[in-house]
Amino acid sequence: MKFCEYWSYERTIDTLIFPRDYGVPTCSIEKEYVNNAVGQLRTRFQAFVESIELKQLHADSET
């Protein structure tokens, strides 16, 4: 959640440490604590998943 101090600590682990140390793709999206942007959130996450799929396809075609 945006502006949540506790969330900020977990976000650092998710967005910096996982990709750097483990190679795990991460998606970090900030939003207000309201449910009026569900469609926008879904679109952003779908784009993230598609980008991972495209990278996997590209890596598979190179081998």
Side-chain angles (χ1 to χ4, degrees):
M1 294 297 137
K2 194 171 187 180
F3 306 118
C4 177
E5 191 172 318
Y6 296 112
W7 175 251
S8 296
Y9 296 124
E10 292 178 6
R11 185 173 181 199
T12 301
I13 292 170
D14 293 346
T15 59
L16 298 175
I17 296 173
F18 282 157
R20 182 190 67 201
D21 295 349
Y22 303 106
V24 176
T26 59
C27 179
S28 178
I29 300 172
E30 285 188 4
K31 70 181 261 347
E32 300 286 337
Y33 190 66
V34 292
N35 290 328
N36 63 356
V38 174
Q40 184 180 30
L41 186 62
R42 181 180 293 125
T43 300
R44 289 181 181 182
F45 190 71
Q46 285 174 339
F48 171 71
V49 171
E50 288 176 10
S51 71
I52 293 173
E53 290 171 345
L54 286 173
K55 287 178 184 177
Q56 184 64 41
L57 286 172
H58 183 66
D60 290 345
S61 68
E62 288 182 348
T63 58

